[in-house]
Amino acid sequence: MGSIVPYLVAIIPTIVAAAFFYVIVKRIMEADRNERLAQSRFEAEQDRQAAREASAEHGTPPGNDEKAD
């Protein structure tokens, strides 16, 4: 038993550092994903608002795009 302790003492800091690194990288990736989702929602809302403003200027209701069939 006494011969295993130095090995454990040497490897435990590495395991703790790896776990800490994993948690940090995971949170960074989640934050990036959430930021990209928020950015796409914001851009979609801006596009909808621009479309409403453009249709109001031309006198056509939004969503009634004329399509040639």
Side-chain angles (χ1 to χ4, degrees):
M1 180 73 177
S3 63
I4 295 177
V5 173
Y7 296 110
L8 292 177
V9 170
I11 196 79
I12 287 177
T14 303
I15 293 171
V16 170
F20 185 70
F21 179 75
Y22 172 78
V23 169
I24 295 296
V25 169
K26 182 179 177 188
R27 292 208 177 164
I28 289 172
M29 298 297 284
E30 288 172 358
D32 181 60
R33 182 177 348 114
N34 290 337
E35 179 67 24
R36 288 175 187 260
L37 285 171
Q39 182 69 28
S40 66
R41 286 187 203 121
F42 174 76
E43 289 174 356
E45 179 60 33
Q46 293 298 314
D47 290 345
R48 283 192 294 271
Q49 185 177 1
R52 276 182 267 163
E53 290 173 0
S55 66
E57 289 176 6
H58 297 325
T60 59
N64 283 346
D65 295 333
E66 297 180 21
K67 295 179 183 177
D69 288 44

